[in-house]
Amino acid sequence: MKAISTAKLTKYYGKNRGILDVDLSVTEGDFFGFIGPNGAGKSTTIRTLLGFISPSGGSAEILGQNVQKDRTKILADIGYLPSETAFYNGLRVRDILRFSADLRKQDCRTEAARLCERLALDPAQKIHALSLGNRKKVGIVCALQHKPRLYVLDEPTSGLDPLMQREFYAILQERNREGATIFLSSHILSEVQRYCKHAAIIRNGRIAATDSVEKLGHTGARRVTLYGITKTPHLDGIRDIKHTDHSLSFLYNGTPQQLLETLALLPLTDFTVSEPSLEEIFMHYYTEEES
């Protein structure tokens, strides 16, 4: 079954673009990354999927159910974490967690306590006294405590320190191994590269690419770093050039023969050729869209 399936999903805000003809297919049990900079359409896509806003066109299903007709049933099987969380300031953490569980008519006290311990969150604290990071932890526990089939997480690690980020992803990996689907919206590409199996890149409201994270990196480009020189060589197929005092690097998508012939004529002290990072791949797709 598809955990998420959309066909030409579109949302306009008046005359302004939200998302355009978004086609997504996320298999149940996947760990899926949804990549794009701020304003690309990630949050609009998520809010439309969850039925918080109505689409202007197209269709969407979650866990085999229509997002408009079956919204209440769908939300019972989803753990949603928005990019920004807001709670009643006068309440304590435990009250917020109990309130969230009661809305779902579930007793989540045991799991909530376990998650609070793992995330170093004090359930006795009042919401107004919490730091940004601890407020994010409250949102995480609310999203995870009922152990849903699908997690929809919008920029989930903003505000978390590195140790808590690592623990958070450890929990997600455990849930994923148990069969849950993770849909992770992020502009932190290293997170997507480290944890996700598949990903979609969104640009200006449109999907620019969708594939396994591994295959998204197979653009044919390589990161070439030359040591001992700083002048860019005359070589077709290079871009994203970076200089230091004693070296330069660039992305190269020409032939190996052409590269080696050019390097043989240069006064190099050393050179390396490596796979580009996901961030560089991301910029590749954006450059391709703009060219």
Side-chain angles (χ1 to χ4, degrees):
M1 178 189 292
K2 295 296 182 184
I4 298 173
S5 179
T6 72
K8 297 190 177 301
L9 190 64
T10 297
K11 176 64 181 178
Y12 279 98
Y13 299 101
K15 295 183 178 180
N16 296 321
R17 180 271 306 163
I19 54 176
L20 303 170
D21 296 333
V22 168
D23 292 330
L24 279 175
S25 180
V26 180
T27 303
E28 196 165 9
D30 202 352
F31 202 130
F32 194 95
F34 195 40
I35 315 168
N38 294 331
K42 301 190 303 296
S43 293
T44 296
T45 301
I46 287 174
R47 290 168 187 157
T48 307
L49 283 173
L50 298 181
F52 298 157
I53 55 178
S54 298
S56 304
S59 62
E61 290 186 350
I62 288 183
L63 299 171
Q65 301 176 91
N66 184 277
V67 297
Q68 294 295 302
K69 298 177 181 178
D70 304 307
R71 178 188 171 196
T72 302
K73 293 180 181 178
I74 288 171
L75 292 179
D77 282 330
I78 290 178
Y80 169 55
L81 178 65
S83 57
E84 296 181 4
T85 54
F87 304 104
Y88 296 111
N89 284 330
L91 298 180
R92 297 185 186 276
V93 170
R94 66 166 69 95
D95 300 324
I96 295 292
L97 301 181
R98 187 180 304 116
F99 177 67
S100 177
D102 288 346
L103 287 175
R104 301 178 183 279
K105 299 179 180 179
Q106 294 190 36
D107 183 352
C108 302
R109 286 175 293 180
T110 300
E111 185 62 18
R114 189 180 75 87
L115 291 169
C116 285
E117 182 176 0
R118 291 188 66 174
L119 295 171
L121 176 63
D122 182 0
Q125 282 275 72
K126 285 196 172 183
I127 292 295
H128 69 80
L130 297 180
S131 65
L132 175 63
N134 280 326
R135 284 174 180 258
K136 176 64 66 132
K137 293 177 189 177
V138 177
I140 290 171
V141 177
C142 285
L144 272 59
Q145 65 177 345
H146 59 294
K147 290 194 169 183
R149 292 169 61 189
L150 171 63
Y151 297 87
V152 179
L153 311 169
D154 193 359
E155 303 289 353
T157 58
S158 61
L160 296 182
D161 64 51
L163 288 177
M164 285 300 104
Q165 289 179 24
R166 185 169 63 182
E167 186 64 26
F168 169 67
Y169 276 111
I171 296 169
L172 290 187
Q173 287 177 311
E174 291 167 12
R175 299 289 176 90
N176 183 239
R177 286 193 293 268
E178 292 169 359
T181 305
I182 314 294
F183 184 81
L184 171 72
S185 167
S186 181
H187 67 276
I188 303 175
L189 302 178
S190 59
E191 291 183 345
V192 175
Q193 189 166 29
R194 186 176 300 116
Y195 299 107
C196 294
K197 302 171 187 174
H198 296 86
I201 297 173
I202 188 169
R203 175 186 184 272
N204 290 339
R206 295 180 181 271
I207 301 298
T210 303
D211 213 325
S212 69
V213 170
E214 180 182 4
K215 288 183 179 178
L216 283 174
H218 292 167
T219 63
R222 295 291 183 270
R223 169 60 64 180
V224 178
T225 303
L226 308 181
Y227 299 93
I229 67 170
T230 57
K231 185 177 179 181
T232 304
H234 296 290
L235 187 63
D236 294 332
I238 67 172
R239 56 185 171 80
D240 190 26
I241 302 168
K242 300 176 181 178
H243 292 269
T244 70
D245 291 340
H246 306 289
S247 68
L248 69 89
S249 70
F250 50 84
L251 285 182
Y252 174 72
N253 60 2
T255 66
Q257 181 179 358
Q258 183 186 25
L259 175 64
L260 292 174
E261 289 175 353
T262 301
L263 297 186
L265 301 175
L266 299 175
L268 304 176
T269 58
D270 201 356
F271 76 95
T272 61
V273 180
S274 60
E275 292 282 345
S277 68
L278 185 60
E279 182 173 0
E280 291 170 325
I281 298 303
F282 176 80
M283 294 308 301
H284 164 81
Y285 283 106
Y286 266 57
T287 302
E288 289 294 305
E289 287 279 328
E290 292 169 355
S291 62

